[in-house]
Amino acid sequence: LLITLAITAILITMAVPNFSGLMQNNRLVAQTNSLIADLNYARSEAIKRGSPVSVAAEDGEWTNGWTITLQGTTLQGTADADFLRRSSAVQKGLSIALDTGDTIEFLASGSIIGLDVAPLELTICDSRGNGYGRVIDIEATGRLAIKKATDCP
């Protein structure tokens, strides 16, 4: 019985760090998928409504969440028809940053407003640093692509 307890204790001490990493990976993937779903939603709404739609960081910080509204409206004082969706704050231990500004605007064609050649980059990082983050590239056409982040703090 004592040997069985010792072996069980050894196995548990080896499994706990791996389980922690698994949980962090799942949080990162879930947050990335949530953001991609909202960006695709905003793009499809812009195309469907024939009107520009914006995805804006709450209070200028993506970690506070984001709102999806028709272009030119803000959350304060908007008609219900102008407000489309709000996402809550990101999960603990994650950070999100857009390489330029705090708003992404989709035209009625589904393309991005004001984007020349280089894609916009939304970087999602966790507390583990480089090698564990994700970057969502948003092309001028509105197409999304995911790659590994190489510049997480």
PDB file of all heavy atoms in Angstrom, residues 31-60:
ATOM      1  N   GLN A  31      -9.523  31.840 -26.754  1.00  0.00           N
ATOM      2  CA  GLN A  31      -9.587  33.288 -26.940  1.00  0.00           C
ATOM      3  C   GLN A  31      -9.341  33.650 -28.400  1.00  0.00           C
ATOM      4  O   GLN A  31     -10.009  34.523 -28.951  1.00  0.00           O
ATOM      5  CB  GLN A  31      -8.565  33.993 -26.042  1.00  0.00           C
ATOM      6  CG  GLN A  31      -8.748  35.484 -26.001  1.00  0.00           C
ATOM      7  CD  GLN A  31     -10.060  35.880 -25.353  1.00  0.00           C
ATOM      8  OE1 GLN A  31     -10.286  35.620 -24.181  1.00  0.00           O
ATOM      9  NE2 GLN A  31     -10.935  36.504 -26.113  1.00  0.00           N
ATOM     10  N   THR A  32      -8.397  32.978 -29.030  1.00  0.00           N
ATOM     11  CA  THR A  32      -8.124  33.224 -30.453  1.00  0.00           C
ATOM     12  C   THR A  32      -9.356  32.898 -31.291  1.00  0.00           C
ATOM     13  O   THR A  32      -9.756  33.681 -32.155  1.00  0.00           O
ATOM     14  CB  THR A  32      -6.922  32.387 -30.925  1.00  0.00           C
ATOM     15  OG1 THR A  32      -5.786  32.707 -30.120  1.00  0.00           O
ATOM     16  CG2 THR A  32      -6.591  32.665 -32.380  1.00  0.00           C
ATOM     17  N   ASN A  33      -9.967  31.758 -31.032  1.00  0.00           N
ATOM     18  CA  ASN A  33     -11.157  31.358 -31.789  1.00  0.00           C
ATOM     19  C   ASN A  33     -12.320  32.312 -31.566  1.00  0.00           C
ATOM     20  O   ASN A  33     -13.079  32.609 -32.498  1.00  0.00           O
ATOM     21  CB  ASN A  33     -11.563  29.934 -31.435  1.00  0.00           C
ATOM     22  CG  ASN A  33     -10.585  28.904 -31.974  1.00  0.00           C
ATOM     23  OD1 ASN A  33      -9.795  29.199 -32.864  1.00  0.00           O
ATOM     24  ND2 ASN A  33     -10.626  27.714 -31.416  1.00  0.00           N
ATOM     25  N   SER A  34     -12.474  32.811 -30.346  1.00  0.00           N
ATOM     26  CA  SER A  34     -13.536  33.768 -30.044  1.00  0.00           C
ATOM     27  C   SER A  34     -13.338  35.066 -30.828  1.00  0.00           C
ATOM     28  O   SER A  34     -14.295  35.615 -31.393  1.00  0.00           O
ATOM     29  CB  SER A  34     -13.556  34.056 -28.545  1.00  0.00           C
ATOM     30  OG  SER A  34     -14.457  35.085 -28.248  1.00  0.00           O
ATOM     31  N   LEU A  35     -12.109  35.544 -30.868  1.00  0.00           N
ATOM     32  CA  LEU A  35     -11.814  36.775 -31.596  1.00  0.00           C
ATOM     33  C   LEU A  35     -12.008  36.584 -33.096  1.00  0.00           C
ATOM     34  O   LEU A  35     -12.585  37.435 -33.772  1.00  0.00           O
ATOM     35  CB  LEU A  35     -10.393  37.236 -31.280  1.00  0.00           C
ATOM     36  CG  LEU A  35      -9.942  38.574 -31.841  1.00  0.00           C
ATOM     37  CD1 LEU A  35     -10.940  39.680 -31.559  1.00  0.00           C
ATOM     38  CD2 LEU A  35      -8.585  38.940 -31.278  1.00  0.00           C
ATOM     39  N   ILE A  36     -11.584  35.451 -33.627  1.00  0.00           N
ATOM     40  CA  ILE A  36     -11.770  35.168 -35.052  1.00  0.00           C
ATOM     41  C   ILE A  36     -13.262  35.092 -35.382  1.00  0.00           C
ATOM     42  O   ILE A  36     -13.709  35.615 -36.411  1.00  0.00           O
ATOM     43  CB  ILE A  36     -11.034  33.871 -35.445  1.00  0.00           C
ATOM     44  CG1 ILE A  36      -9.537  34.136 -35.481  1.00  0.00           C
ATOM     45  CG2 ILE A  36     -11.521  33.344 -36.796  1.00  0.00           C
ATOM     46  CD1 ILE A  36      -8.697  32.907 -35.688  1.00  0.00           C
ATOM     47  N   ALA A  37     -14.028  34.448 -34.525  1.00  0.00           N
ATOM     48  CA  ALA A  37     -15.474  34.351 -34.757  1.00  0.00           C
ATOM     49  C   ALA A  37     -16.108  35.740 -34.798  1.00  0.00           C
ATOM     50  O   ALA A  37     -16.957  36.016 -35.661  1.00  0.00           O
ATOM     51  CB  ALA A  37     -16.126  33.495 -33.675  1.00  0.00           C
ATOM     52  N   ASP A  38     -15.705  36.627 -33.895  1.00  0.00           N
ATOM     53  CA  ASP A  38     -16.270  37.975 -33.891  1.00  0.00           C
ATOM     54  C   ASP A  38     -15.826  38.787 -35.105  1.00  0.00           C
ATOM     55  O   ASP A  38     -16.604  39.577 -35.649  1.00  0.00           O
ATOM     56  CB  ASP A  38     -15.904  38.702 -32.593  1.00  0.00           C
ATOM     57  CG  ASP A  38     -16.767  38.265 -31.429  1.00  0.00           C
ATOM     58  OD1 ASP A  38     -17.832  37.639 -31.666  1.00  0.00           O
ATOM     59  OD2 ASP A  38     -16.386  38.543 -30.274  1.00  0.00           O
ATOM     60  N   LEU A  39     -14.576  38.624 -35.533  1.00  0.00           N
ATOM     61  CA  LEU A  39     -14.117  39.322 -36.737  1.00  0.00           C
ATOM     62  C   LEU A  39     -14.868  38.823 -37.972  1.00  0.00           C
ATOM     63  O   LEU A  39     -15.272  39.620 -38.822  1.00  0.00           O
ATOM     64  CB  LEU A  39     -12.608  39.144 -36.915  1.00  0.00           C
ATOM     65  CG  LEU A  39     -11.730  39.867 -35.892  1.00  0.00           C
ATOM     66  CD1 LEU A  39     -10.280  39.410 -36.008  1.00  0.00           C
ATOM     67  CD2 LEU A  39     -11.835  41.378 -36.052  1.00  0.00           C
ATOM     68  N   ASN A  40     -15.064  37.521 -38.080  1.00  0.00           N
ATOM     69  CA  ASN A  40     -15.835  36.974 -39.198  1.00  0.00           C
ATOM     70  C   ASN A  40     -17.282  37.440 -39.154  1.00  0.00           C
ATOM     71  O   ASN A  40     -17.890  37.730 -40.186  1.00  0.00           O
ATOM     72  CB  ASN A  40     -15.774  35.443 -39.198  1.00  0.00           C
ATOM     73  CG  ASN A  40     -14.471  34.931 -39.752  1.00  0.00           C
ATOM     74  OD1 ASN A  40     -13.869  35.541 -40.623  1.00  0.00           O
ATOM     75  ND2 ASN A  40     -14.024  33.795 -39.240  1.00  0.00           N
ATOM     76  N   TYR A  41     -17.841  37.533 -37.938  1.00  0.00           N
ATOM     77  CA  TYR A  41     -19.203  38.039 -37.775  1.00  0.00           C
ATOM     78  C   TYR A  41     -19.301  39.482 -38.259  1.00  0.00           C
ATOM     79  O   TYR A  41     -20.224  39.841 -39.003  1.00  0.00           O
ATOM     80  CB  TYR A  41     -19.632  37.930 -36.315  1.00  0.00           C
ATOM     81  CG  TYR A  41     -20.930  38.621 -36.007  1.00  0.00           C
ATOM     82  CD1 TYR A  41     -22.143  38.052 -36.378  1.00  0.00           C
ATOM     83  CD2 TYR A  41     -20.950  39.846 -35.358  1.00  0.00           C
ATOM     84  CE1 TYR A  41     -23.344  38.692 -36.103  1.00  0.00           C
ATOM     85  CE2 TYR A  41     -22.139  40.492 -35.077  1.00  0.00           C
ATOM     86  CZ  TYR A  41     -23.331  39.911 -35.451  1.00  0.00           C
ATOM     87  OH  TYR A  41     -24.504  40.553 -35.186  1.00  0.00           O
ATOM     88  N   ALA A  42     -18.346  40.318 -37.854  1.00  0.00           N
ATOM     89  CA  ALA A  42     -18.360  41.728 -38.256  1.00  0.00           C
ATOM     90  C   ALA A  42     -18.243  41.860 -39.771  1.00  0.00           C
ATOM     91  O   ALA A  42     -18.960  42.655 -40.393  1.00  0.00           O
ATOM     92  CB  ALA A  42     -17.218  42.481 -37.569  1.00  0.00           C
ATOM     93  N   ARG A  43     -17.375  41.075 -40.364  1.00  0.00           N
ATOM     94  CA  ARG A  43     -17.206  41.115 -41.821  1.00  0.00           C
ATOM     95  C   ARG A  43     -18.484  40.678 -42.521  1.00  0.00           C
ATOM     96  O   ARG A  43     -18.932  41.314 -43.489  1.00  0.00           O
ATOM     97  CB  ARG A  43     -16.036  40.229 -42.231  1.00  0.00           C
ATOM     98  CG  ARG A  43     -15.741  40.281 -43.709  1.00  0.00           C
ATOM     99  CD  ARG A  43     -14.473  39.513 -44.040  1.00  0.00           C
ATOM    100  NE  ARG A  43     -14.136  39.690 -45.424  1.00  0.00           N
ATOM    101  CZ  ARG A  43     -14.059  38.699 -46.309  1.00  0.00           C
ATOM    102  NH1 ARG A  43     -14.276  37.456 -45.930  1.00  0.00           N
ATOM    103  NH2 ARG A  43     -13.737  38.960 -47.562  1.00  0.00           N
ATOM    104  N   SER A  44     -19.089  39.602 -42.056  1.00  0.00           N
ATOM    105  CA  SER A  44     -20.312  39.119 -42.702  1.00  0.00           C
ATOM    106  C   SER A  44     -21.469  40.096 -42.518  1.00  0.00           C
ATOM    107  O   SER A  44     -22.296  40.275 -43.424  1.00  0.00           O
ATOM    108  CB  SER A  44     -20.689  37.728 -42.195  1.00  0.00           C
ATOM    109  OG  SER A  44     -21.110  37.780 -40.860  1.00  0.00           O
ATOM    110  N   GLU A  45     -21.537  40.764 -41.368  1.00  0.00           N
ATOM    111  CA  GLU A  45     -22.585  41.770 -41.148  1.00  0.00           C
ATOM    112  C   GLU A  45     -22.382  42.974 -42.062  1.00  0.00           C
ATOM    113  O   GLU A  45     -23.356  43.548 -42.560  1.00  0.00           O
ATOM    114  CB  GLU A  45     -22.610  42.218 -39.686  1.00  0.00           C
ATOM    115  CG  GLU A  45     -23.236  41.213 -38.760  1.00  0.00           C
ATOM    116  CD  GLU A  45     -24.714  40.985 -39.033  1.00  0.00           C
ATOM    117  OE1 GLU A  45     -25.479  41.964 -39.172  1.00  0.00           O
ATOM    118  OE2 GLU A  45     -25.102  39.804 -39.132  1.00  0.00           O
ATOM    119  N   ALA A  46     -21.129  43.370 -42.283  1.00  0.00           N
ATOM    120  CA  ALA A  46     -20.860  44.486 -43.191  1.00  0.00           C
ATOM    121  C   ALA A  46     -21.330  44.147 -44.600  1.00  0.00           C
ATOM    122  O   ALA A  46     -21.964  44.965 -45.276  1.00  0.00           O
ATOM    123  CB  ALA A  46     -19.371  44.818 -43.183  1.00  0.00           C
ATOM    124  N   ILE A  47     -21.053  42.917 -45.024  1.00  0.00           N
ATOM    125  CA  ILE A  47     -21.479  42.489 -46.359  1.00  0.00           C
ATOM    126  C   ILE A  47     -22.999  42.377 -46.421  1.00  0.00           C
ATOM    127  O   ILE A  47     -23.633  42.866 -47.364  1.00  0.00           O
ATOM    128  CB  ILE A  47     -20.805  41.149 -46.723  1.00  0.00           C
ATOM    129  CG1 ILE A  47     -19.295  41.338 -46.861  1.00  0.00           C
ATOM    130  CG2 ILE A  47     -21.399  40.569 -47.997  1.00  0.00           C
ATOM    131  CD1 ILE A  47     -18.508  40.052 -46.933  1.00  0.00           C
ATOM    132  N   LYS A  48     -23.588  41.754 -45.415  1.00  0.00           N
ATOM    133  CA  LYS A  48     -25.040  41.541 -45.393  1.00  0.00           C
ATOM    134  C   LYS A  48     -25.814  42.862 -45.357  1.00  0.00           C
ATOM    135  O   LYS A  48     -26.795  43.037 -46.069  1.00  0.00           O
ATOM    136  CB  LYS A  48     -25.420  40.689 -44.185  1.00  0.00           C
ATOM    137  CG  LYS A  48     -26.902  40.394 -44.074  1.00  0.00           C
ATOM    138  CD  LYS A  48     -27.190  39.453 -42.924  1.00  0.00           C
ATOM    139  CE  LYS A  48     -27.388  40.252 -41.671  1.00  0.00           C
ATOM    140  NZ  LYS A  48     -27.804  39.435 -40.521  1.00  0.00           N
ATOM    141  N   ARG A  49     -25.359  43.797 -44.529  1.00  0.00           N
ATOM    142  CA  ARG A  49     -26.071  45.069 -44.371  1.00  0.00           C
ATOM    143  C   ARG A  49     -25.705  46.095 -45.437  1.00  0.00           C
ATOM    144  O   ARG A  49     -26.354  47.124 -45.559  1.00  0.00           O
ATOM    145  CB  ARG A  49     -25.781  45.655 -42.988  1.00  0.00           C
ATOM    146  CG  ARG A  49     -26.369  44.836 -41.861  1.00  0.00           C
ATOM    147  CD  ARG A  49     -25.878  45.353 -40.522  1.00  0.00           C
ATOM    148  NE  ARG A  49     -26.354  44.533 -39.431  1.00  0.00           N
ATOM    149  CZ  ARG A  49     -27.353  44.865 -38.632  1.00  0.00           C
ATOM    150  NH1 ARG A  49     -27.982  46.005 -38.802  1.00  0.00           N
ATOM    151  NH2 ARG A  49     -27.724  44.057 -37.666  1.00  0.00           N
ATOM    152  N   GLY A  50     -24.597  45.836 -46.160  1.00  0.00           N
ATOM    153  CA  GLY A  50     -24.153  46.796 -47.165  1.00  0.00           C
ATOM    154  C   GLY A  50     -23.668  48.077 -46.550  1.00  0.00           C
ATOM    155  O   GLY A  50     -23.769  49.149 -47.143  1.00  0.00           O
ATOM    156  N   SER A  51     -23.134  47.982 -45.319  1.00  0.00           N
ATOM    157  CA  SER A  51     -22.697  49.157 -44.575  1.00  0.00           C
ATOM    158  C   SER A  51     -21.454  48.804 -43.772  1.00  0.00           C
ATOM    159  O   SER A  51     -21.339  47.673 -43.285  1.00  0.00           O
ATOM    160  CB  SER A  51     -23.818  49.602 -43.638  1.00  0.00           C
ATOM    161  OG  SER A  51     -23.411  50.682 -42.854  1.00  0.00           O
ATOM    162  N   PRO A  52     -20.531  49.746 -43.610  1.00  0.00           N
ATOM    163  CA  PRO A  52     -19.324  49.443 -42.827  1.00  0.00           C
ATOM    164  C   PRO A  52     -19.638  49.074 -41.374  1.00  0.00           C
ATOM    165  O   PRO A  52     -20.552  49.621 -40.766  1.00  0.00           O
ATOM    166  CB  PRO A  52     -18.533  50.748 -42.882  1.00  0.00           C
ATOM    167  CG  PRO A  52     -19.027  51.438 -44.107  1.00  0.00           C
ATOM    168  CD  PRO A  52     -20.480  51.072 -44.205  1.00  0.00           C
ATOM    169  N   VAL A  53     -18.870  48.129 -40.845  1.00  0.00           N
ATOM    170  CA  VAL A  53     -19.010  47.669 -39.468  1.00  0.00           C
ATOM    171  C   VAL A  53     -17.638  47.731 -38.819  1.00  0.00           C
ATOM    172  O   VAL A  53     -16.633  47.373 -39.433  1.00  0.00           O
ATOM    173  CB  VAL A  53     -19.574  46.221 -39.422  1.00  0.00           C
ATOM    174  CG1 VAL A  53     -19.543  45.673 -38.018  1.00  0.00           C
ATOM    175  CG2 VAL A  53     -20.984  46.190 -39.973  1.00  0.00           C
ATOM    176  N   SER A  54     -17.593  48.194 -37.571  1.00  0.00           N
ATOM    177  CA  SER A  54     -16.307  48.304 -36.876  1.00  0.00           C
ATOM    178  C   SER A  54     -16.246  47.376 -35.672  1.00  0.00           C
ATOM    179  O   SER A  54     -17.256  47.102 -35.022  1.00  0.00           O
ATOM    180  CB  SER A  54     -16.059  49.748 -36.425  1.00  0.00           C
ATOM    181  OG  SER A  54     -17.002  50.134 -35.464  1.00  0.00           O
ATOM    182  N   VAL A  55     -15.031  46.902 -35.415  1.00  0.00           N
ATOM    183  CA  VAL A  55     -14.717  46.133 -34.219  1.00  0.00           C
ATOM    184  C   VAL A  55     -13.740  47.004 -33.445  1.00  0.00           C
ATOM    185  O   VAL A  55     -12.633  47.270 -33.919  1.00  0.00           O
ATOM    186  CB  VAL A  55     -14.074  44.768 -34.559  1.00  0.00           C
ATOM    187  CG1 VAL A  55     -13.779  43.989 -33.291  1.00  0.00           C
ATOM    188  CG2 VAL A  55     -14.951  43.973 -35.496  1.00  0.00           C
ATOM    189  N   ALA A  56     -14.158  47.469 -32.279  1.00  0.00           N
ATOM    190  CA  ALA A  56     -13.345  48.424 -31.525  1.00  0.00           C
ATOM    191  C   ALA A  56     -13.042  47.897 -30.128  1.00  0.00           C
ATOM    192  O   ALA A  56     -13.899  47.282 -29.483  1.00  0.00           O
ATOM    193  CB  ALA A  56     -14.060  49.767 -31.409  1.00  0.00           C
ATOM    194  N   ALA A  57     -11.821  48.156 -29.675  1.00  0.00           N
ATOM    195  CA  ALA A  57     -11.414  47.766 -28.327  1.00  0.00           C
ATOM    196  C   ALA A  57     -12.200  48.565 -27.302  1.00  0.00           C
ATOM    197  O   ALA A  57     -12.446  49.760 -27.487  1.00  0.00           O
ATOM    198  CB  ALA A  57      -9.921  47.994 -28.151  1.00  0.00           C
ATOM    199  N   GLU A  58     -12.611  47.904 -26.225  1.00  0.00           N
ATOM    200  CA  GLU A  58     -13.303  48.589 -25.127  1.00  0.00           C
ATOM    201  C   GLU A  58     -12.321  49.514 -24.418  1.00  0.00           C
ATOM    202  O   GLU A  58     -11.256  49.075 -23.983  1.00  0.00           O
ATOM    203  CB  GLU A  58     -13.839  47.577 -24.112  1.00  0.00           C
ATOM    204  CG  GLU A  58     -15.068  46.851 -24.564  1.00  0.00           C
ATOM    205  CD  GLU A  58     -16.321  47.688 -24.412  1.00  0.00           C
ATOM    206  OE1 GLU A  58     -16.393  48.558 -23.537  1.00  0.00           O
ATOM    207  OE2 GLU A  58     -17.241  47.443 -25.202  1.00  0.00           O
ATOM    208  N   ASP A  59     -12.674  50.767 -24.317  1.00  0.00           N
ATOM    209  CA  ASP A  59     -11.848  51.762 -23.629  1.00  0.00           C
ATOM    210  C   ASP A  59     -10.419  51.782 -24.166  1.00  0.00           C
ATOM    211  O   ASP A  59      -9.464  52.030 -23.426  1.00  0.00           O
ATOM    212  CB  ASP A  59     -11.830  51.524 -22.117  1.00  0.00           C
ATOM    213  CG  ASP A  59     -13.221  51.551 -21.510  1.00  0.00           C
ATOM    214  OD1 ASP A  59     -14.040  52.374 -21.965  1.00  0.00           O
ATOM    215  OD2 ASP A  59     -13.491  50.746 -20.600  1.00  0.00           O
ATOM    216  N   GLY A  60     -10.240  51.479 -25.457  1.00  0.00           N
ATOM    217  CA  GLY A  60      -8.924  51.516 -26.081  1.00  0.00           C
ATOM    218  C   GLY A  60      -8.023  50.336 -25.763  1.00  0.00           C
ATOM    219  O   GLY A  60      -6.876  50.307 -26.187  1.00  0.00           O
TER     220      GLY A  60
END
